[in-house]
Amino acid sequence: MTNNNASKKTSLRTHTCGELNASNAGQTVTLTGWMDAKRNHGGVVFINLRDLYGVTQVVARPDSPVFKTAEEAKNEYVLRVTGKVTARPGSNANKNMTTGEIEVDASTIEILNISQPLPFDLGEHAGVSEETRLKYRFLDLRRERMAKNLVLRSRLSQVIRNYLYDLDFNEIETPLLTRSTPEGARDFVVPSRNNPGEFYALPQSPQQFKQVLMMSGMDRYFQLARNFRDEELRSDRQPEHTQIDLEMSFVDEQDIAKVVEGMMSAIFAHIGEEVKGPFPEMEFSDVMLKYGSDKPDLRYALEIKECSDIFKASAFKVFSGALAEGGVVRAIKGEGAAAFSRGDMDKLTELVKKFGAKGLVWLRFKDGKWESPTLKFINEAEQAALKERLDVKDGDAVFIAADKAAVAAPCLGALRNELIARLKPAKLKKWAFLWVRHFPLLEKDAETGNWTFTHNPFTAPLPEEAHKLDTDPGNVRSCQYDLVLNGVELGSGSVRNHTRAMQEKIFALMGYDKEQVQKRFAMIVNAMDFGAPPHGGIGMGYDRLIGIICGTESIRDVIAFPKTTSGACLMSDAPSVIDDRQLKELHIEIKK
Ligand code: ASP
């Protein structure tokens, strides 16, 4: 927030509740705001008057004409107070309040509006259910923490805009009423009254429009864009979310990374944190090997180690069996995890089973000795090699997964997260950014058996691997990258296909013939026919970013009017039924 207090003077107030200090002593001021709290001290009434900018103490003395009104006022009454600013003598000053040096001795108190008794206490620590908070969101947003989140969110969008405008990006709005496209999630659709039986789809992202803008010669586009995805909701998902959406022409992956890194520096500088590019980057395949996740939290050092070589002649069926089937044996160390109980070990085993593992081998190293129910299957040479590979010290435990790489990686990745949560290892840094690069272009769709895109159907293959599209499409890496911050996938983007031939080739692998491509993606492929420039971009989750910066558990705490996990807005009561006349106009009949 700026300190431009003069700009906040209005016809109803001279100052805000957050700006008066000892230098204002003696002035007569008028403040407006809500009654936050009231105390009666030996017959004198003290009111804490609150607005967005702070809290000021107002005093009503028993001999004053305002006393009666002060007594009448209740929490969240809207008041307008005129009075003289008086310095609070040293011992009375409240160091916890920015306006603690003064109080306002009221000469008039006007009640601008009354309030019903509150459904919950606005004090930060009151244990209020989220349902109640969402139903009375207007009250919830009066809380300091929530108001601060929204103000910071607003300020950071200004920082982003300034940064991008300085780089000559143009902010261009793309349609919200558009057509259904394959982006991986379900669409929200809107019936078209003028076209019976036809529907618009709300955009899952502005992807195709931003690409077409590049084909229109716009060179650099951005938008704080609203995206709609009809997915199962979790705490970090909302049916509509905001994305910092960029697209640039005549660029490679590094050009886009530089713009994003500079933007993150600007955003973090605003909150007094230093973040500098270039951010570390890793190949997707390496990140899966080392961290078992494509969004590892690199604030922590824990690493998965390949141990297949150690166990290549293992007598332990679990290991030899996995290796014989082309699988891997990989391990992760938990520093201090030897203190885990058998019950803890069982819980960790259950965890990896959820990720497809058949079981989990664990060994504790205590008082210079290994200890494990499966120790007898691991010979001394293997034990020694394991100890060295993972740098095992007294008090540590080692967890081993033996399976196909595609199973072992996510199991150990989940275990890594759990070990971090339980062991709380030292943080290497506060903000750990990571670029994960070169995801596979295609993967097999489990349902249809066809090739499908891993991230985005418009992503280009790595030029030097494009030739494998004909012979080995599953092994073609792409120009797709993710940006990860503290274990959260913050954004995703790519360098795109810009020739129709390449785009059609990739769609063909996904089972779309030319005719289908023309039908479903007419807009983008037609534009590719007329001199589409090389281009690429990224979309970054704005709610998530603000959530991380504000340290909230749920992104709902950084969205003014979020929805519940069942997609409802408890305040406006959306979604709702519509009346028969509206349905008829839309040519829709509801199945009873
Ligand atoms: N359309 C992508 C997404 O929404 C972002 C991008 O590739 O630019 O994740």
Side-chain angles (χ1 to χ4, degrees):
M1 206 160 313
T2 64
N3 287 324
N4 186 1
N5 287 321
S7 72
K8 293 187 284 252
K9 179 174 185 299
T10 68
S11 317
L12 267 73
R13 68 184 179 208
T14 59
H15 295 81
T16 70
C17 295
E19 65 174 289
L20 299 173
N21 57 39
S23 72
N24 301 97
Q27 291 175 11
T28 298
V29 299
T30 301
L31 305 181
T32 50
W34 288 264
M35 192 180 100
D36 199 49
K38 183 163 73 174
R39 293 180 319 281
N40 191 319
H41 259 298
V44 180
V45 171
F46 294 91
I47 288 176
N48 276 357
L49 192 67
R50 182 198 73 236
D51 64 11
L52 181 62
Y53 311 100
V55 177
T56 300
Q57 176 163 297
V58 172
V59 191
R61 302 188 190 282
D63 53 353
S64 146
V66 303
F67 189 72
K68 203 168 148 273
T69 320
E71 275 202 312
E72 254 171 58
K74 296 197 175 68
N75 277 359
E76 300 309 303
Y77 272 35
V78 186
L79 305 180
R80 182 168 184 236
V81 176
T82 299
K84 200 181 222 176
V85 181
T86 49
R88 286 154 83 171
S91 57
N92 279 347
N94 183 343
K95 301 234 158 41
N96 298 323
M97 260 166 103
T98 35
T99 60
E101 292 175 351
I102 55 94
E103 59 194 12
V104 173
D105 209 338
S107 51
T108 63
I109 298 182
E110 206 181 323
I111 294 178
L112 300 182
N113 208 346
I114 59 166
S115 168
Q116 298 302 314
L118 298 176
F120 57 90
D121 186 343
L122 300 191
E124 269 309 304
H125 305 293
V128 189
S129 76
E130 193 171 23
E131 217 168 85
T132 311
R133 289 176 50 202
L134 290 177
K135 179 156 185 231
Y136 297 97
R137 191 60 158 179
F138 44 89
L139 293 177
D140 194 36
L141 294 181
R142 287 186 198 166
R143 298 168 138 185
E144 190 186 0
R145 182 173 69 92
M146 295 300 291
K148 269 192 175 153
N149 289 354
L150 290 192
V151 170
L152 182 61
R153 182 182 175 123
S154 161
R155 282 295 165 230
L156 290 178
S157 48
Q158 185 189 17
V159 169
I160 291 166
R161 286 199 163 90
N162 289 347
Y163 171 78
L164 291 171
Y165 281 128
D166 280 349
L167 295 179
D168 286 324
F169 277 77
N170 293 303
E171 184 170 13
I172 302 171
E173 291 152 282
T174 52
L176 291 187
L177 293 175
T178 174
R179 62 172 291 150
S180 182
T181 59
E183 255 183 301
R186 221 175 280 118
D187 290 318
F188 280 103
V189 294
V190 180
S192 164
R193 183 180 53 81
N194 281 326
N195 303 280
E198 294 188 2
F199 294 81
Y200 300 99
L202 301 180
Q204 293 187 29
S205 86
Q207 184 71 36
Q208 293 187 62
F209 285 103
K210 69 175 174 173
Q211 288 193 241
V212 168
L213 282 169
M214 295 304 101
M215 298 167 190
S216 316
M218 282 313 301
D219 200 55
R220 299 182 150 205
Y221 142 96
F222 89 96
Q223 184 179 192
L224 289 178
R226 205 66 79 79
N227 295 349
F228 304 85
R229 294 181 194 181
D230 189 3
E231 293 177 298
E232 298 316 316
L233 305 179
R234 296 187 310 235
S235 71
D236 62 344
R237 271 201 203 144
Q238 281 281 304
E240 48 182 314
H241 75 269
T242 306
Q243 174 165 308
I244 311 168
D245 199 44
L246 309 179
E247 198 75 7
M248 302 162 74
S249 292
F250 303 108
V251 288
D252 68 8
E253 292 185 34
Q254 296 302 331
D255 295 310
I256 298 159
K258 262 186 228 144
V259 168
V260 172
E261 287 160 355
M263 179 158 79
M264 291 301 151
S265 297
I267 290 171
F268 280 79
H270 184 86
I271 57 160
E273 298 281 334
E274 194 185 22
V275 155
K276 265 215 288 253
F279 298 156
E281 49 178 53
M282 286 182 80
E283 282 281 310
F284 166 73
S285 53
D286 290 341
V287 98
M288 291 307 288
L289 190 81
K290 252 180 148 172
Y291 302 109
S293 160
D294 59 4
K295 43 177 196 284
D297 191 341
L298 293 195
R299 284 175 300 171
Y300 305 97
L302 282 72
E303 260 181 39
I304 297 164
K305 300 283 179 189
E306 178 63 70
C307 298
S308 302
D309 56 320
I310 298 178
F311 296 104
K312 61 179 185 290
S314 171
F316 190 13
K317 282 237 173 58
V318 172
F319 293 171
S320 57
L323 291 171
E325 282 175 31
V328 296
V329 179
R330 291 182 192 160
I332 189 164
K333 174 182 73 176
E335 268 185 46
F340 287 178
S341 66
R342 280 301 270 263
D344 291 332
M345 297 302 189
D346 289 346
K347 283 204 187 106
L348 296 177
T349 307
E350 285 311 309
L351 172 76
V352 296
K353 280 186 177 165
K354 277 196 213 130
F355 289 81
K358 293 184 233 25
L360 176 68
V361 173
W362 56 263
L363 300 93
R364 293 193 278 233
F365 195 71
K366 260 185 176 169
D367 304 323
K369 278 198 308 267
W370 287 106
E371 192 185 291
S372 163
T374 47
L375 191 63
K376 55 183 176 292
F377 303 116
I378 300 172
N379 70 33
E380 273 180 21
E382 289 162 346
Q383 290 172 23
L386 195 63
K387 183 163 177 290
E388 194 190 322
R389 176 85 33 104
L390 285 119
D391 189 24
V392 176
K393 305 249 162 42
D394 223 70
D396 296 345
V398 169
F399 303 86
I400 308 176
D403 218 309
K404 295 205 170 54
V407 176
C411 287
L412 290 170
L415 195 63
R416 180 178 186 272
N417 287 341
E418 186 61 24
L419 290 174
I420 290 170
R422 285 173 180 249
L423 300 169
K424 303 193 173 39
K427 281 189 189 142
L428 305 174
K429 48 173 111 167
K430 194 164 171 194
W431 309 109
F433 282 97
L434 172 72
W435 290 107
V436 179
R437 295 199 180 279
H438 307 150
F439 286 83
L441 182 72
L442 299 165
E443 65 188 2
K444 282 270 173 165
D445 184 306
E447 261 170 48
T448 64
N450 276 341
W451 290 111
T452 183
F453 54 91
T454 62
H455 273 67
N456 186 322
F458 306 105
T459 295
L462 275 186
E464 62 273 28
E465 296 193 2
H467 66 95
K468 286 196 289 190
L469 281 172
D470 296 320
T471 51
D472 189 10
N475 273 319
V476 174
R477 287 178 300 161
S478 71
C479 301
Q480 176 79 40
Y481 38 80
D482 275 1
L483 179 63
V484 180
L485 169 58
N486 292 358
V488 175
E489 183 196 313
L490 202 57
S492 204
S494 62
V495 172
R496 328 290 185 187
N497 298 306
H498 66 282
T499 67
R500 182 171 185 135
M502 182 56 81
Q503 189 62 66
E504 277 181 350
K505 184 170 199 151
I506 291 167
F507 276 134
L509 284 164
M510 289 166 27
Y512 297 121
D513 62 25
K514 281 188 189 220
E515 218 172 292
Q516 284 167 307
V517 172
Q518 184 55 41
K519 207 166 151 226
R520 296 190 61 175
F521 306 102
M523 167 172 97
I524 198 159
V525 290
N526 287 347
M528 280 178 179
D529 277 342
F530 295 91
H535 61 285
I538 189 166
M540 283 166 289
Y542 191 47
D543 310 298
R544 281 188 192 176
L545 176 64
I546 305 293
I548 294 173
I549 288 175
C550 293
T552 61
E553 242 158 62
S554 158
I555 57 167
R556 291 190 290 274
D557 280 356
V558 295
I559 299 173
F561 304 112
K563 299 203 170 47
T564 63
T565 41
S566 59
C569 170
L570 299 179
M571 193 178 64
S572 66
D573 231 353
S576 63
V577 290
I578 55 175
D579 63 32
D580 288 344
R581 185 185 49 82
Q582 252 180 317
L583 284 172
K584 209 162 154 218
E585 269 178 359
L586 295 169
H587 323 280
I588 288 180
E589 246 175 70
I590 304 290
K591 257 191 174 172
K592 293 268 172 353

